[in-house]
Amino acid sequence: MFKKILFSTTGTSLCDAAARVAFDMANRYGAKLFIIHIFGIPDRSYSQAAIDIKTGEKVDLNSDHFQKVQEEIKQTYSEQIKHNKECEFEILAGIPGTEILRTARKKDIDLIIMGARHSKKEKKSPQQKLIIGNTLQTVARSARCPVLIIGRTAASFWGGISNILFGTDFSKASDSAFLFAYKLARTLKCTLNFFHVINISEDSSGNVMDQNEIDDRIRDARAKIREKYLSRMEEFEDYEIDVWEGIPYVEIVKYSREKFADLIIMAHHSKKIDLEEANIGTTMEQIALRSNCPVISINHTDKI
Amino acid sequence: MTENKLCNRIPVNTKEELNGLLQDKSGKQYYEEMDNLEVDAKALWRTIQTTCKSRIRTWLNICAHCGMCADSCLFYLANDNDPEQVPSYKIQSTLGEIVKKKGKVDTTFMKRAMDTAWGKCTCCNRCGQYCPFGIDMGVMMSFLRGVLFSQGFVPWEMKIGSGMHRIFRAQMDVTTEDWVDTCEWMEEESEDEWPGLKIPIDKKNADIIYTINAREAKHYPEDIAEAAILFSIAGEDWTVPSEGWEETSIAMFAGDWEGASMQVESVYEAIDRIKPKRMVVTECGHAYRATVIEGPYWTGQKNGKTPVETLHYVEWVAEALRSGKLKIDPLKKIKEPVTYHDSCNYIRNGGLSDCGREIMSYIAEDFREMKPNRDHNFCCGGGGGLNGIGRYRKQRNTALKVKRDQILATGAKLVITPCHNCWDAIRDLEEVYKIGIRWSFLKPLLISMVEVPEHLKPKDE
Amino acid sequence: MYNFITGPLAWFSFLVFFIGLFIRSVFYLIGLDSKLDRISYRVNSFYGIKEAFRSILYWMLPFGTRGWRTQPGMTFLFFIFHLGIVLPTVFLGAHNMILKERWGFSLFAFPDYLSDIMTIVVLVSAFVLLIRRIILPKVRILTKSSDYMVLFVAILPFFTGFMAFHQFSNYPFWMIAHIISGEILLIAIPFTKLSHCFLFFLTRAQLGMDYGIKRGGMKRNNNIW
């Protein structure tokens, strides 16, 4: 399924869960694993200086430093490397999101694996926040291949996939996510759970939907799922459909728990997110941080 | 004298030499070697005799020592009126001394001159506006930089930057392949939101040829995409060149006139190949100064003009807004108090202050002018290459104070600064002094406010 | 003695003054270099000439430029000092009498009390400038002994002239001192910073051309001085 996997890491414990999954998947699917670590953001305009993301210190971008950082990363993953000797390391300086996307494109990557959190939120200075932005959102928004996100340690015990939760909001991006979920379900012979959430949070005038309206919407959504997705599935019977009302990310997390889902697949919206939303975190981010299983974000059909 | 491997009079022309410099952590070995760099007094005097003519000589002679230039200089003000920061003193104690002593100066002197030319002056040319005789000490400081470069007394990052331009024809190590690849990448990435967006490369006879700052290709590729989006919305027939695409000039900051000339030449050659009607340069101040104002003279254009009419980005934006090519949604105008930073190189030294105000009138509801503003505005504190020189980081951080106080006085929450160096300086200003402002280029703001024609909107299901 | 200093020496000092300034100006102008200065003087002269004039004009008006406006004290001092140097010299009753006697024509002459007031203003403002040079660190650091010398040379004719005119005592001494100090001043002008009395116009015009041709003038009207 995946020939080339790109694992992006900060080299800290925050990425341990993602690392476990990355090495496991690479071994399981016989994929070539590229490990990318972006250690510093450019600091002094055109000059060769950067701020180390971890320590906040100024460092010089010369090959000595790159070498040193590479050794550190190799050390961090020394155990895993023992079982995967062909993995390659790339150490870069730049804006993390940009460099991950650049590398994924250059190497024609089939799957990107990342942790949900890349730094302790308190440590980031305002301009780091402004300039680095949200790496996860940047990558999920623009990546041409699926992005696998591991938020919690609980989500990293990859025992194989038998139950997929496909969350949809009926957008064009969701179409791509569906195709991927469908292909995966067929290939791995697992159950595909279609799920849509009717968002019942207050609208701008403070009104909440009444129950009759909610019921109507649930019915409409089920019909839509049948029309949009089931019609495109050939001889695939192992599926279920559910539509619940609530706050989207909460319901998805609950539903995945109930269904013992091993993988959540959804689309991340490609429209640029404004700063407000970026602070709160998108639905997908919230899910990634809370669910018991990994989340795959996919927007495009290039790599299906 | 031991042969200096890194610090010598030879400009960097090969990748090996460049790497040698890059490996030296913060230029430690480089500056150590500088202590052993001997001054070639004969060559120095010859340089003065052949290039320092009556304009500069008269300036040096006729200075009445009145001290009126002092209050015009951001370094003087930021350093609590330190008399050693008086512009006249700075230039008289360096270039003035070299001329008086007919080039017979020593290494210690030259090191001090280097510290003055790059650590105590951004060549913002503001002092020239406040001297009754019109003595432009910034111009003299720039001349001094050239003299120091010829003798090898340049800051480490300057030597590297000059090397970058000589080798890559760009301020960073971005090759033509990298550049073209980045354009293609941005086309792909923008597909979803901007269907059909193209970044035409080497399109002959286009209306506009667009050139950029290499750091956009290296670290901030979204800037290139934003430019493409705006050109597309405005319906411009534009292109970028595959070579000669970079118009900045660390070589100019370094005093490497030959390197600067080579860099500008590459852009003019692109113009020659593509034969556009006009050139638009990205939001960068010194790039405009180097390519449009000084460049024609370095490359021997007799009429002092670029091969085709060249616009700084603000000129293009002002024109697009004026002509309706870009229409602003009145509901999306900037409502918070916003101010505009006048960068030295295209405002004081380029005369484009009107464009900024025109743009503000379209996009801002609460526009606050700085005091002073337009041609008399102060340098951001990081110009002339100072932003990137580690040796003078402290001096640079002190110099930011003047801009900080100006911004605070306006009460603005957002600073618009259509210049890469100034953008960096104001970012650092916020990091160091934490005054709670945001800062931005024009492109992202415009994209968030502009009305998008139907054919460019993504097709929803 | 008197005949010598009002005759050949006077001729000599005026010749040195005019020819010296002329030669300096010529050297200045031929030393301007389109390529080295990076200004296309000849090709885009039209743009340059307008700004050259504006550059001179605004700096000759009190508070005419931002530079003058931001330093009001110095501006005031500067203008009364310079006006005081030029006006009474050219329009002095006594000088015009000599002019009439020697050359047969004279210019307008101020009433003597006015010339007196202006002379005192010159002396007082020169004194304040001197104190300014000693007290203010930003001026002190630039000051060389030649600056004091040059101020002294410029002021001496006014002081001696005042003393001579009012005939407080020893008229012949003061008269001769006045004439000689005037001649010293004339001779000194082309060789010292005092040459600014003419070079000011040239350097200002040059900067005007710079801004007019190269630094913005071709893209907009009227530089902001």
Side-chain angles (χ1 to χ4, degrees), chain B residues 165 169-170 246-248 258-267:
Chain B
H165 281 289
R169 292 294 184 273
E246 217 264 351
E247 18 107 308
T248 68
E258 195 187 18
S261 179
M262 287 153 78
Q263 178 61 40
V264 169
E265 201 59 78
S266 76
V267 178

Side-chain angles (χ1 to χ4, degrees), chain A residues 43 46 60 63 102 170 300, chain B residues 23 26 192 218 385 427 461:
Chain A
D43 175 54
Y46 53 85
D60 275 319
S63 59
R102 201 200 301 262
F170 302 121
H300 300 109
Chain B
Q23 297 317 315
S26 297
D192 287 335
K218 191 144 172 106
R427 173 200 66 195
E461 57 267 18

Side-chain angles (χ1 to χ4, degrees), chain B residues 54-55 58 61 63-66 68 71 130-134 136 288 294 297 303 310 315 349 375, chain C residues 28 31 38 40 44 59 66 71 132-133 138 142 147 193 200 203-204 206 210 214-216 219-220:
Chain B
S54 68
R55 175 169 84 145
T58 307
N61 283 333
C63 170
H65 301 156
C66 72
M68 280 181 71
D71 287 311
Y130 289 80
C131 168
F133 290 148
D136 196 326
Y288 182 81
E294 307 289 345
Y297 296 100
N303 63 3
T310 305
E315 288 183 88
N349 293 303
D375 296 27
Chain C
Y28 178 76
R38 297 200 297 272
S40 50
N44 294 303
W59 276 95
R66 194 169 192 277
Q71 301 207 39
R132 176 181 181 273
R133 187 173 283 292
K138 67 183 178 184
L142 298 169
D147 298 309
K193 288 190 208 298
F200 161 84
T203 57
R204 271 252 67 91
Q206 195 277 332
D210 185 334
K214 174 177 160 185
R215 297 198 247 171
K219 283 205 169 170
R220 63 128 176 229

Side-chain angles (χ1 to χ4, degrees), chain C residues 140-212:
Chain C
R140 200 166 61 229
I141 199 175
L142 298 169
T143 301
K144 304 255 180 326
S145 50
S146 57
D147 298 309
Y148 296 118
M149 194 86 247
V150 138
L151 187 62
F152 180 68
V153 165
I155 287 307
L156 204 52
F158 291 84
F159 181 65
T160 50
F162 189 77
M163 295 300 280
F165 179 80
H166 286 282
Q167 302 192 40
F168 295 130
S169 75
N170 205 347
Y171 173 77
F173 166 74
W174 286 113
M175 197 63 224
I176 297 199
H178 174 66
I179 298 175
I180 290 189
S181 63
E183 285 162 354
I184 290 176
L185 177 58
L186 283 170
I187 295 176
I189 284 178
F191 296 100
T192 62
K193 288 190 208 298
L194 294 171
S195 56
H196 76 260
C197 66
F198 191 67
L199 289 184
F200 161 84
F201 297 93
L202 296 181
T203 57
R204 271 252 67 91
Q206 195 277 332
L207 196 73
M209 292 200 93
D210 185 334
Y211 274 96

